[in-house]
Amino acid sequence: MRIGLPDVPALERGVSLLGSGGGGDTVTGAALLRNRLAAGHRVALTPVGELGADAQVVPIGVVGATAVFAEKLPSGAEFGAAIAAIERWTGRRADALVSIEVGGLNGVLPLVVGGQLGLPVVDADLSGRGVPRLNQLSVAAAGKGLTPAVLAEPGGQVLVLAEATAAELERTARAFLAGSGGWAVLAIAPISARELPSCAIPGTMSSAVSLGRQALSVGERSGAEELAAATGGRVIGLGRVVEVSRRPGPGEHGRTGFARGSATILDHRSRSLLRLEMENEYLFAMLDGEPVASTPDVLAVLDRRTGVPIPCDVVRQGVEVTVLQLPAAEFWTDPRRLPVLEPRAFGIDCDPILLEVRR
């Protein structure tokens, strides 16, 4: 699938929806992609089946405080440095790239990087949505190791972690980011094209474009139900945000955890209160105290005037919103993998509440 300038708004809207309130701002990544396309460069998504079975696919993305990404812009060398380090350490040349996360910024940046480095970008990712932790990537959920892994930060430091569990990589990455400017490029162990379908989620990048097109086709003046029908989801809330609270998250071993919070919406239709629990993403929804939706389904909060998704870190009291539930990728509904992203993985003692219809 070739990506052209007219496709960028759909891609940006689609990956923003799949971020589930997280994943980072897409504006900078979309601007970089537009510049590349305007300069006449070819940008395309390659189905995994078009790669040779032994092709080495390197997962890549940005990790850390993606809000800082817009203030501390990349030089462009970080991506090449991370991939070069992976190639040196494994002794294998990168034949293609795949995004670690389709939700948010990482749904756009690999397309820019692939063009710069002359590497095809696979139509797949390792999350199917926005996920907060590296040990929640699909590779880890499938029981495959993530190391060797490389972190390359904009100041020029390159860290190689030769051996570690997925949880250890997550802890090490957070410690590195705290002292190196807030964000870094991550590249993890190459995956052969033969193995990729079993530990990644195929088709997600092109699906994000389709999802974005469907959302944009509804238009700003259409109703919430039209939006749900167009995107394959359902509306679980329609009203005004009446309260937003934020608090420190639970930590482990003396380390601070991700911030937690909640947003409460007064539904105009039923006068019920919809409460969304959030961390880096929207995770769980209760209507008048009864659970109605949860991760791994995608919970998206949209500005009712514009249809633009509102991230967790900027949702505020007084805004009029539509709350949409979109179905999770089938990868996460497998009982063997569901525990990785179910509510209890985030300390919420409730069974998953998912849409029955799957894309």
Side-chain angles (χ1 to χ4, degrees):
M1 175 184 182
R2 185 165 183 173
I3 302 293
L5 275 170
D7 300 313
V8 177
L11 173 66
E12 187 176 6
R13 179 61 58 88
V15 299
S16 296
L17 285 167
L18 292 173
S20 195
D25 189 1
T26 60
V27 172
T28 303
L32 292 171
L33 181 57
R34 284 190 181 95
N35 288 342
R36 183 152 194 86
L37 290 167
H41 297 283
R42 187 178 187 275
V43 174
L45 293 167
T46 302
V48 66
E50 292 185 6
L51 299 173
D54 294 324
Q56 297 298 300
V57 182
V58 176
I60 193 166
V62 169
V63 294
T66 50
V68 181
F69 187 85
E71 301 173 7
K72 192 174 184 180
L73 293 170
S75 67
E78 301 90 350
F79 302 95
I83 294 168
I86 282 285
E87 289 178 328
R88 287 195 305 270
W89 196 263
T90 62
R92 291 176 286 182
R93 182 174 60 85
D95 297 308
L97 304 177
V98 66
S99 175
I100 62 171
E101 178 185 45
V102 71
L105 178 64
N106 284 322
V108 180
L109 273 183
L111 290 167
V112 180
V113 177
Q116 289 175 338
L117 301 179
L119 293 171
V121 178
V122 177
D123 185 10
D125 83 306
L126 304 189
S127 63
R129 46 159 293 147
V131 297
R133 301 176 179 87
L134 300 179
N135 55 325
Q136 291 175 314
L137 295 176
S138 62
V139 174
K144 187 174 174 61
L146 275 63
T147 54
V150 173
L151 289 159
E153 57 91 32
Q157 294 185 81
V158 177
L159 173 71
V160 178
L161 190 62
E163 293 184 13
T165 65
E168 289 166 345
L169 173 60
E170 166 67 20
R171 289 197 297 269
T172 301
R174 300 302 162 188
F176 177 77
L177 293 167
S180 61
W183 70 267
V185 171
L186 171 73
I188 64 176
I191 306 167
S192 71
R194 181 189 297 106
E195 296 177 289
L196 197 63
S198 67
C199 60
I201 305 172
T204 49
M205 299 286 282
S206 57
S207 292
V209 177
S210 297
L211 176 64
R213 282 199 190 112
Q214 291 159 353
L216 291 173
S217 71
V218 171
E220 297 177 6
R221 297 184 181 276
S222 298
E225 295 302 332
E226 288 87 345
L227 176 63
T231 55
R234 72 173 178 126
V235 176
I236 58 173
L238 187 69
R240 182 185 296 270
V241 178
V242 294
E243 181 184 61
V244 177
S245 64
R246 304 186 191 279
R247 59 191 182 274
E252 294 182 0
H253 310 298
R255 298 181 179 89
T256 303
F258 292 126
R260 292 286 181 91
S262 63
T264 303
I265 294 101
L266 176 61
D267 194 290
H268 292 332
R269 303 166 300 178
S270 63
R271 310 306 294 175
S272 298
L273 290 175
L274 179 73
R275 175 168 167 164
L276 297 174
E277 291 296 320
M278 56 189 178
E279 195 178 81
N280 286 16
E281 291 81 24
Y282 299 110
L283 300 173
F284 187 69
M286 293 182 292
L287 189 64
D288 286 343
E290 291 294 321
V292 292
S294 79
T295 176
D297 273 357
V298 170
L299 304 180
V301 177
L302 314 180
D303 187 307
R304 282 187 65 190
R305 295 180 301 107
T306 64
V308 174
I310 303 174
C312 295
D313 58 348
V314 299
V315 66
R316 59 178 176 81
Q317 184 177 345
V319 67
E320 294 280 342
V321 300
T322 299
V323 184
L324 196 64
Q325 181 183 11
L326 297 172
E330 290 185 9
F331 181 95
W332 295 117
T333 63
D334 186 314
R336 297 168 298 174
R337 298 157 181 162
L338 185 58
V340 176
L341 286 185
E342 69 177 2
R344 289 188 178 88
F346 300 91
I348 300 171
D349 190 14
C350 183
D351 293 331
I353 304 167
L354 307 179
L355 286 171
E356 293 181 0
V357 179
R358 303 286 159 195
R359 279 196 298 271

